[in-house]
Amino acid sequence: MLLGCKFSMETTSSFLLATTLLINWLWHGQECLQLPPKLPDSLCFPLPLRFLPLLQDQQEYQPLSQRGSSEAAVRLLPQFRVKSWADAFGGELYSVVTKYSGSLLLQKKYKDVEPTLKIKEVDGLELVKKFSEQMESMLRRKVEAVERLVEAAEDADLNHEYNSSLEFDYYNSLLINEKDENDNYVELGDEFILEPNEHFNNLLVNTTYSDIQLPTNVYNKDPDILNGVYMSEALNPIFVDNFERDPTLTWQYFGSSTGFFRLYPGIKWLPDENGVISFDCRNRGWYIQAATSPKDIVIIVDVSGSMKGLRMTIAKHTIVTILDTLGENDFVNIIAYNDYVHFIEPCFKGILVQADRDNREHFKQLVDELQAKGVGTVNKALTESFKILREFRDAGQGGLCNQAIMLITDGAVEDYEAVFEKYNWPDRKVRVFTYLIGREVTFAPNVKWIACNNKGYYTQISTLADVQENVMEYLHVLSRPMVINHDHDIIWTEAYMDSALFASQAQSLLLMTTVAMPVFSKKNETRSHGILLGVVGSDVPLRELLKLAPRYKLGVHGYAFLNTNNGYILSHPDLRPLYKEGKKLKPKPNYNSVDLSEVEWEDQDEILRTAMINGETGYLSMDVKVPVDKGKRVLFLTNDYFFTDISGTPFSLGVVLSRGHGEYILLGNTSVEEGLHDLLQPDLSLANEWIYCITDIDPDHRKLSQLEAVIRFLTGEEPDLECDEELVQEVLFDAVVTAPMEAYWTTLALNMSMETEVGVEMAFLGTRAGLMRSALYVGSEKISNRKFLTQKDKESIFTMDHFPLWYRRAAEHPPGSFIYSIVSEDDSEGGGLPKVVTVSTAVAVSVDGKMGIAAAVGVQIKLELLQRKFWMAMQQPNDSDCSALDGACPLSCQDDILNCFLIDNNGFILVSKRPAETGKFFGAVDGSVMTQLLNMGMFRRVTMYDYQAMCKVPYHHHSGARPLLSPIYAFLAAVKWLISDFLIFLLEFNMSSFWHSDNLADAKAVFHHSHKHKKHDILQPCDTEYPVFVYEPAIKETNGLIECGDCQKMFVAQQIASSNLLLLITDAACDCSVFPPVLLDVKEVNLAHNTSVKCERMRSQKLRRRPDTCHAFHPEENAQDCGGTAEISVSPTLLFLPLALLLQ
């Protein structure tokens, strides 16, 4: 054992000096070395004997008792050795990547044109106002199209006389082009020409005609349907005319209050795997928002003993259906009552909560757990509901418009008139809607009386199939005041996912907003009834809106985003609406209720959120941490946020520019002739998601790539093309400046030595104008990462949302210095160990003291090339003369007692003696050294948050363990299921409905779904935190000793010049497993341990801006139109009801 001396760890030289100050634990005892004057004896500490070879000069610093004697042959590591390895490797690496990327040539070319360049500072406020005006103009055109459809629909209804015996054939979207066994078209399924259309994501459509979709539970020849479809035929020419006037329009449609959906352009609608079409336009957010004003709803459900069995199932389905009719402008709570009153979510006691998707899904889970028992007393529940609604109304909270109570019960026998007299009469500010569950009619007059005396509506629901139609009645009642007054409010929805497009994988148009308006009956004889005919709407893909905020004007890290009046994200580059379950992509349950504060989470005081919700115009600056590379790395930026509202909508627009080079635009000048020549080079491409020229309006232009469109625009071949001249000019300039790179790369490729330079595969560059060039140094079949620079690897190309990752990272590294990034296991083709390294550097220009990033350039090399260069630099020359050292050669990385690593600035391993460690985080491999590097400040831990994560929740089957208790019980349970569920299935649907095969399919689907149990863990939205580790570049070298119990572990870290890499040498022989690994663990931010904190968060009401209009009551509305007893059809299955309930 040795004693060494403590030392300053600022430089490697100080480490090597200190390691020479060793004390040998001799058999004679412990002696101290003769120390230099500035180091006191008291600094001595134990040091492993195996590191005696670190002595630079044995003769100068030997133990006093051994001076002059000959030690056993020991291999030495001179003090300059680690740094010389790093310098040798760094120099060799720099030589390879500069040569094959051509970075020095590109820097020179941009330097040569600096005198002709202008760097303009972007005025963020002016930019956001300009973008907002353009978006307002675009959205206004959509509104005008919808207004023309509303006018046409109302005029058609005014001129249509209802005919109960009408016979009329129409194009049914499910049946079109279907033939029977005799090769004849089926009824309602005539020939309907469908062609792929690029504007509609290559879906098969008919742009000359619309067709009709109906949900499975709506009979396609019902007289109401036939009359509505016949009347709405008048919309066909308006659809076509709208599309001709504004070719940027996408889907246009009319959703009828009777349940049919007229869609233009016409498509073939496919049922789900159960043969069912569940899409009902009346359930969609755009329909409900247009049909009603904001509403505060309290749902009261009877959970007394009489509600057991089928009644409870129907009641639960009714609640879920009501919840599905609510949106983010509505507020809700649910009260269950039997012997006592309880809020199904105790945390929401006494309040209303916003009916966003999160809260609705939470309520649905709680509703599913309700159980029937006890005796029902409705008075207390009604009293509690009226109190909540009054308190919210008086406090100016909630929707401040419609208020309603939904009473779901199988009977009411109390004297409840006193409750209404005290809380609701005579003003009747709260409507009461009643739903009588079951076939029993004894209590029907009582339950109807409650609704009719409180401006509500009464329905009786006896089967699951009845729920949808009966719940929708309340929407018609709430729409009456607006209909009578003929107020055509324009509504815009939150972001939502187009399910048809999602199923077709056309995901570039995935997120939509809809502009919608209600359609009313103008007939005087029905005015007091306030008949809502339906809703007209048109979709606006959000990406189309963001095309009006060009990427090139926002800089390397800049972006634009949109949010709603409720603070929810409409569009944001960091919004992740999909998640992967197995191999399938699915929409997250809360994808459209992600709050601005959950994406821009650095805005902890919600200053930005508040200003944007209030529709203000302004500016804010924030220091932000931006996760990149799937959260493994982070960029530290200062962002300037500019924001304003979009007039005529509930939306606000934000534009983000990163401080420094992100707020400058480079303006170069070149002739069209010179630039056009260089644009035609084969190695050049343009960002195809950027809009250099508008190609999606004229059908003749839709097949053109952006590069083809620019060339045709410049040559005059397509004079009708509308192009962004500023962006085209930048492209021309960049094409000229970067043109010499093609010849340079080609010459290198022809002269490559296959022996010495195996592993350099590709060179590439990108400019701020979205121009890219690339060259292959190997045959395309030999490329290790074929996804790179293609649509399959979005992170490596210019998109609407971001610059390439290699460009973004290089921009935040000193120009001329290279960023090395190993392709992770997930990204490498075929999985397995990483095979390639992407290397890039930024090219900067300076004009009048302003620095801008003009381009980034790099190479992609095989990892084995990097490893080969590394081990060559780390080994001793074969002809090393060690005679002067008594035959003892210095230590090298070939020695078993040393581990040598090459890691990047985020701690990921590029080279290790053990190939399996490649790509792994170093802290997971060696926790002791990583801990020391963190303690010494060479690395720091940065905590990041993800408020859009999905976490696994173990699946628990309520009765999963019970059959294990008794084999007899298992048998009885099986019999019970067979009898009771089959009988209930029969009861859920009237036998008469089975004459219609559509309804049979619907029944089959419900039955199938109710008995389909998931066995795997469920993923659900959650908040998580995770660490990112970042190297501190100011510390270029460090070293240390780690006390590991029985031994001490040495390590040395040395920066590799002109890179983001570090050479790390550690002691391999000392077992330091007493230190746990440092892991990149993702942890759920779980508030469950603190119930009060969790509840407070759930109850919190974030700032929101209410819609501008409200239609709650109208003096002319016919309040006596309040529903009636449904006809009760006698079914033989009723005979089995007692048995079924008994078995329940």
Side-chain angles (χ1 to χ4, degrees):
M1 191 69 177
L2 298 174
L3 287 187
C5 296
K6 294 186 179 177
F7 48 84
S8 164
M9 292 185 269
E10 293 176 2
T11 64
T12 301
S13 57
S14 67
F15 165 72
L16 293 171
L17 171 63
T19 55
T20 63
L21 307 178
L22 303 175
I23 297 176
N24 198 353
W25 200 299
L26 303 173
W27 50 91
H28 299 295
Q30 180 179 320
E31 295 184 285
C32 271
L33 288 169
Q34 189 172 358
L35 302 174
K38 293 183 180 178
L39 294 175
D41 290 0
S42 61
L43 293 178
C44 293
F45 57 88
L47 185 70
L49 180 61
R50 62 184 176 280
F51 288 108
L52 184 60
L54 293 174
L55 284 171
Q56 179 189 8
D57 186 340
Q58 259 185 322
Q59 298 301 315
E60 183 178 4
Y61 292 115
Q62 281 186 340
L64 298 179
S65 62
Q66 295 294 309
R67 192 168 289 182
S69 68
S70 177
E71 181 77 23
V74 211
R75 300 166 67 195
L76 305 175
L77 180 62
Q79 65 175 12
F80 57 85
R81 179 62 60 191
V82 177
K83 190 171 190 314
S84 69
W85 286 347
D87 290 345
F89 174 64
E92 178 67 18
L93 211 53
Y94 184 78
S95 172
V96 169
V97 296
T98 51
K99 176 181 177 180
Y100 288 99
S101 68
S103 60
L104 298 179
L105 173 62
L106 190 61
Q107 286 169 2
K108 181 181 182 303
K109 290 300 175 184
Y110 272 102
K111 192 76 177 171
D112 291 344
V113 297
E114 273 186 4
T116 68
L117 266 178
K118 291 181 182 178
I119 294 185
K120 183 177 78 173
E121 190 168 355
V122 178
D123 185 332
L125 272 178
E126 182 183 326
L127 196 66
V128 76
K129 289 176 184 175
K130 180 183 176 183
F131 290 166
S132 171
E133 289 169 4
Q134 291 173 343
M135 290 180 182
E136 179 191 342
S137 175
M138 175 194 177
L139 296 177
R140 183 65 217 164
R141 293 197 299 273
K142 315 303 177 194
V143 171
E144 289 168 356
V146 168
E147 287 174 336
R148 286 192 286 271
L149 288 170
V150 169
E151 184 179 1
E154 292 184 347
D155 287 347
D157 175 70
L158 189 61
N159 297 320
H160 174 72
E161 187 172 336
Y162 187 88
N163 180 359
S164 59
S165 57
L166 177 68
E167 291 186 6
F168 172 65
D169 286 338
Y170 59 89
Y171 290 116
N172 183 305
S173 61
L174 177 67
L175 302 175
I176 53 171
N177 300 327
E178 296 287 327
K179 292 186 177 181
D180 59 22
E181 60 275 9
N182 298 320
D183 203 34
N184 297 318
Y185 286 109
V186 300
E187 191 177 21
L188 304 181
D190 209 349
E191 182 182 12
F192 193 75
I193 297 171
L194 297 170
E195 296 175 331
N197 189 302
E198 286 191 30
H199 184 65
F200 295 93
N201 272 70
N202 285 316
L203 289 176
L204 295 172
V205 300
N206 184 321
T207 54
T208 60
Y209 220 77
S210 62
D211 60 4
I212 303 296
Q213 177 271 340
L214 297 109
T216 298
N217 64 329
V218 176
Y219 178 42
N220 58 28
K221 287 232 167 176
D222 183 281
D224 289 345
I225 296 295
L226 289 177
N227 276 269
V229 170
Y230 181 79
M231 175 274 293
S232 63
E233 286 284 297
L235 296 180
N236 272 312
I238 312 302
F239 285 140
V240 175
D241 181 57
N242 279 343
F243 191 41
E244 289 174 353
R245 292 188 191 206
D246 180 7
T248 67
L249 278 173
T250 56
W251 308 102
Q252 304 172 67
Y253 38 82
F254 169 63
S256 166
S257 60
T258 58
F260 74 83
F261 181 60
R262 181 177 287 278
L263 177 65
Y264 174 88
I267 64 169
K268 173 76 172 174
W269 205 287
L270 299 176
D272 63 19
E273 65 272 15
N274 299 309
V276 172
I277 292 184
S278 58
F279 178 92
D280 190 324
C281 62
R282 297 167 298 177
N283 270 345
R284 305 297 280 181
W286 51 266
Y287 185 99
I288 294 161
Q289 282 182 245
T292 63
S293 297
K295 45 200 172 292
D296 297 340
I297 302 286
V298 178
I299 302 171
I300 304 176
V301 57
D302 182 351
V303 290
S304 62
S306 62
M307 288 286 288
K308 280 185 179 180
L310 177 60
R311 292 181 179 182
M312 198 68 218
T313 302
I314 295 173
K316 289 178 179 181
H317 188 38
T318 303
I319 297 172
V320 168
T321 306
I322 293 172
L323 288 172
D324 284 338
T325 67
L326 305 179
E328 60 182 36
N329 288 320
D330 304 319
F331 287 77
V332 67
N333 206 337
I334 303 177
I335 294 175
Y337 73 92
N338 43 26
D339 301 298
Y340 62 97
V341 171
H342 69 276
F343 292 82
I344 69 167
E345 171 50 78
C347 180
F348 295 159
K349 183 176 181 179
I351 65 167
L352 298 172
V353 294
Q354 194 169 6
D356 58 29
R357 187 177 289 258
D358 278 347
N359 285 333
R360 295 199 307 267
E361 293 303 315
H362 182 60
F363 275 130
K364 287 178 186 178
Q365 290 177 7
L366 297 173
V367 165
D368 189 48
E369 296 169 5
L370 290 175
Q371 294 182 350
K373 57 184 176 181
V375 179
T377 53
V378 71
N379 279 5
K380 291 180 181 178
L382 286 169
T383 300
E384 189 70 29
S385 302
F386 279 119
K387 284 181 178 178
I388 294 171
L389 293 170
R390 176 182 288 180
E391 286 170 9
F392 258 59
R393 186 170 64 239
D394 293 346
Q397 295 178 300
L400 293 183
C401 192
N402 287 296
Q403 290 195 322
I405 293 171
M406 310 297 206
L407 174 60
I408 301 167
T409 181
D410 63 347
V413 295
E414 300 168 72
D415 181 15
Y416 28 73
E417 188 171 338
V419 177
F420 300 126
E421 285 180 346
K422 182 176 181 179
Y423 292 102
N424 205 37
W425 295 348
D427 296 335
R428 291 175 171 80
K429 291 181 179 179
V430 178
R431 297 180 189 266
V432 181
F433 297 88
T434 55
Y435 302 88
L436 181 62
I437 304 299
R439 297 176 179 272
E440 179 62 55
V441 296
T442 306
F443 301 107
N446 295 3
V447 178
K448 180 178 180 180
W449 181 93
I450 293 174
C452 294
N453 283 277
N454 290 280
K455 291 189 175 180
Y457 200 88
Y458 157 79
T459 60
Q460 183 165 5
I461 305 176
S462 54
T463 73
L464 282 172
D466 295 338
V467 172
Q468 176 71 33
E469 294 297 320
N470 283 302
V471 166
M472 298 310 294
E473 291 293 343
Y474 97 87
L475 294 176
H476 300 155
V477 174
L478 292 186
S479 68
R480 283 177 189 164
M482 177 173 59
V483 176
I484 295 170
N485 219 32
H486 281 197
D487 290 320
H488 289 95
D489 293 341
I490 300 164
I491 66 98
W492 293 91
T493 67
E494 70 273 19
Y496 73 94
M497 206 161 284
D498 187 297
S499 54
L501 287 178
F502 183 79
S504 71
Q505 300 299 309
Q507 291 173 17
S508 64
L509 293 181
L510 205 58
L511 284 175
M512 304 275 191
T513 181
T514 292
V515 55
M517 291 176 67
V519 178
F520 311 138
S521 171
K522 291 182 177 178
K523 295 175 179 176
N524 286 329
E525 61 269 25
T526 59
R527 177 178 171 83
S528 65
H529 293 273
I531 296 176
L532 176 74
L533 299 175
V535 173
V536 159
S538 180
D539 288 345
V540 181
L542 293 171
R543 293 182 73 83
E544 295 301 308
L545 261 185
L546 290 180
K547 285 179 181 178
L548 300 174
R551 284 292 302 122
Y552 78 96
K553 292 189 176 182
L554 306 178
V556 181
H557 306 297
Y559 54 91
F561 65 93
L562 296 159
N563 68 283
T564 71
N565 58 301
N566 286 300
Y568 295 138
I569 290 294
L570 198 65
S571 181
H572 193 290
D574 293 334
L575 179 66
R576 306 191 310 275
L578 303 177
Y579 75 102
K580 212 167 190 177
E581 189 171 77
K583 293 185 178 180
K584 287 186 177 181
L585 280 175
K586 293 185 176 182
K588 292 178 181 175
N590 63 335
Y591 73 88
N592 63 354
S593 58
V594 176
D595 196 84
L596 178 61
S597 61
E598 295 175 328
V599 177
E600 300 289 350
W601 52 267
E602 305 277 7
D603 180 31
Q604 294 184 4
D605 295 328
E606 299 194 356
I607 298 171
L608 174 67
R609 183 185 186 279
T610 301
M612 292 190 71
I613 285 175
N614 289 333
E616 297 174 14
T617 298
Y619 152 85
L620 176 70
S621 182
M622 279 195 293
D623 291 327
V624 299
K625 298 186 281 286
V626 180
V628 294
D629 198 8
K630 298 178 180 175
K632 291 187 295 187
R633 311 180 193 280
V634 63
L635 300 176
F636 299 92
L637 305 173
T638 299
N639 281 348
D640 292 327
Y641 292 78
F642 304 91
F643 47 86
T644 190
D645 70 325
I646 301 176
S647 181
T649 75
F651 307 144
S652 289
L653 169 68
V655 165
V656 181
L657 303 175
S658 58
R659 189 75 62 83
H661 61 78
E663 296 187 320
Y664 297 130
I665 285 186
L666 310 183
L667 301 174
N669 194 18
T670 191
S671 68
V672 171
E673 293 76 17
E674 187 181 9
L676 188 56
H677 174 268
D678 292 326
L679 270 181
L680 295 171
Q681 292 177 345
D683 69 324
L684 183 145
S685 63
L686 296 182
N688 220 39
E689 290 187 18
W690 290 19
I691 309 300
Y692 300 85
C693 299
I694 297 173
T695 58
D696 61 349
I697 293 180
D698 189 330
D700 294 333
H701 297 157
R702 286 182 187 142
K703 294 183 180 179
L704 297 177
S705 70
Q706 285 295 319
L707 179 57
E708 291 169 337
V710 168
I711 291 170
R712 294 196 182 194
F713 169 72
L714 293 171
T715 57
E717 289 181 54
E718 296 283 353
D720 295 336
L721 270 170
E722 186 180 337
C723 298
D724 185 328
E725 295 191 15
E726 183 180 325
L727 179 55
V728 170
Q729 180 60 42
E730 285 192 34
V731 164
L732 288 173
F733 178 77
D734 286 342
V736 172
V737 177
T738 61
M741 300 299 290
E742 181 191 30
Y744 175 85
W745 289 334
T746 302
T747 304
L748 276 181
L750 293 173
N751 297 317
M752 276 185 76
S753 166
M754 297 307 291
E755 295 177 4
T756 59
E757 287 139 357
V758 172
V760 182
E761 296 193 336
M762 177 192 297
F764 55 87
L765 67 84
T767 74
R768 181 167 168 148
L771 177 147
M772 288 187 68
R773 292 183 186 271
S774 62
L776 296 181
Y777 289 124
V778 296
S780 57
E781 73 284 354
K782 294 182 179 179
I783 290 288
S784 301
N785 183 8
R786 293 189 180 89
K787 294 180 182 178
F788 188 63
L789 303 185
T790 70
Q791 288 291 327
K792 292 182 179 178
D793 182 7
K794 291 275 192 179
E795 287 288 301
S796 69
I797 61 174
F798 292 90
T799 68
M800 277 186 64
D801 292 333
H802 54 68
F803 275 53
L805 180 59
W806 49 264
Y807 196 124
R808 297 173 70 192
R809 293 190 68 204
E812 295 311 305
H813 214 57
S817 181
F818 286 85
I819 283 280
Y820 294 77
S821 181
I822 190 166
V823 177
S824 67
E825 287 182 50
D826 297 340
D827 299 330
S828 61
E829 291 188 38
L833 292 174
K835 296 176 182 176
V836 293
V837 176
T838 304
V839 190
S840 60
T841 185
V843 177
V845 292
S846 295
V847 178
D848 299 331
K850 299 173 183 174
M851 190 195 82
I853 303 296
V857 61
V859 287
Q860 189 157 87
I861 61 177
K862 292 185 86 166
L863 180 59
E864 64 185 53
L865 171 64
L866 193 74
Q867 292 169 333
R868 191 166 68 246
K869 298 286 184 186
F870 179 82
W871 295 121
M872 284 175 64
M874 299 301 118
Q875 70 185 10
Q876 293 296 322
N878 293 330
D879 58 351
S880 295
D881 182 9
C882 304
S883 58
L885 302 170
D886 295 328
C889 285
L891 288 168
S892 76
C893 282
Q894 274 66 39
D895 288 284
D896 292 338
I897 65 168
L898 290 184
N899 277 332
C900 297
F901 299 95
L902 183 68
I903 66 173
D904 68 16
N905 60 322
N906 296 110
F908 291 98
I909 299 172
L910 283 81
V911 181
S912 168
K913 284 184 176 180
R914 294 170 290 277
E917 292 172 353
T918 307
K920 295 186 183 301
F921 178 60
F922 177 73
V925 172
D926 192 331
S928 62
V929 175
M930 193 70 211
T931 300
Q932 286 299 101
L933 293 175
L934 287 166
N935 291 340
M936 298 162 81
M938 193 170 204
F939 275 83
R940 61 191 173 102
R941 186 185 198 276
V942 178
T943 301
M944 303 291 287
Y945 296 93
D946 183 1
Y947 296 104
Q948 300 176 67
M950 297 291 288
C951 297
K952 283 186 178 180
V953 178
Y955 176 76
H956 298 294
H957 195 280
H958 293 298
S959 57
R962 193 174 171 189
L964 300 176
L965 302 177
S966 165
I968 298 174
Y969 174 81
F971 172 77
L972 292 176
V975 174
K976 171 186 171 182
W977 177 86
L978 185 63
I979 299 174
S980 65
D981 280 39
F982 180 68
L983 294 178
I984 287 170
F985 166 61
L986 292 176
L987 288 168
E988 285 172 358
F989 300 93
N990 293 320
M991 292 302 291
S992 60
S993 69
F994 279 79
W995 292 109
H996 303 304
S997 60
D998 284 352
N999 283 351
L1000 179 60
D1002 191 32
K1004 189 174 82 174
V1006 173
F1007 184 65
H1008 170 76
H1009 177 75
S1010 64
H1011 297 291
K1012 186 178 177 181
H1013 297 301
K1014 294 181 181 178
K1015 294 181 181 177
H1016 52 77
D1017 288 347
I1018 300 167
L1019 288 171
Q1020 71 176 23
C1022 61
D1023 300 340
T1024 60
E1025 67 175 39
Y1026 60 94
V1028 176
F1029 294 89
V1030 181
Y1031 165 60
E1032 178 48 65
I1035 303 177
K1036 299 187 183 303
E1037 52 194 18
T1038 193
N1039 51 71
L1041 290 169
I1042 305 168
E1043 184 63 53
C1044 302
D1046 295 335
C1047 60
Q1048 290 176 315
K1049 186 168 189 170
M1050 175 277 298
F1051 67 90
V1052 184
Q1054 177 71 47
Q1055 186 189 66
I1056 308 290
S1058 302
S1059 77
N1060 66 322
L1061 302 177
L1062 292 166
L1063 169 60
L1064 189 55
I1065 298 175
T1066 70
D1067 173 7
C1070 179
D1071 179 8
C1072 218
S1073 55
V1074 292
F1075 284 82
V1078 178
L1079 302 174
L1080 298 175
D1081 282 349
V1082 178
K1083 296 180 181 178
E1084 185 175 358
V1085 182
N1086 196 343
L1087 300 175
H1089 63 280
N1090 190 332
T1091 308
S1092 62
V1093 173
K1094 181 181 179 182
C1095 182
E1096 184 60 34
R1097 180 173 175 179
M1098 291 173 69
R1099 288 174 65 96
S1100 63
Q1101 303 284 338
K1102 283 183 175 288
L1103 176 72
R1104 54 187 295 278
R1105 176 164 40 114
R1106 291 178 181 82
D1108 296 329
T1109 57
C1110 169
H1111 308 282
F1113 297 100
H1114 195 285
E1116 295 180 28
E1117 69 175 280
N1118 181 9
Q1120 295 310 305
D1121 181 8
C1122 55
T1125 306
E1127 184 180 357
I1128 306 299
S1129 57
V1130 179
S1131 169
T1133 53
L1134 282 173
L1135 298 174
F1136 299 105
L1137 182 59
L1139 177 59
L1141 293 178
L1142 177 65
L1143 288 169
Q1144 281 288 310

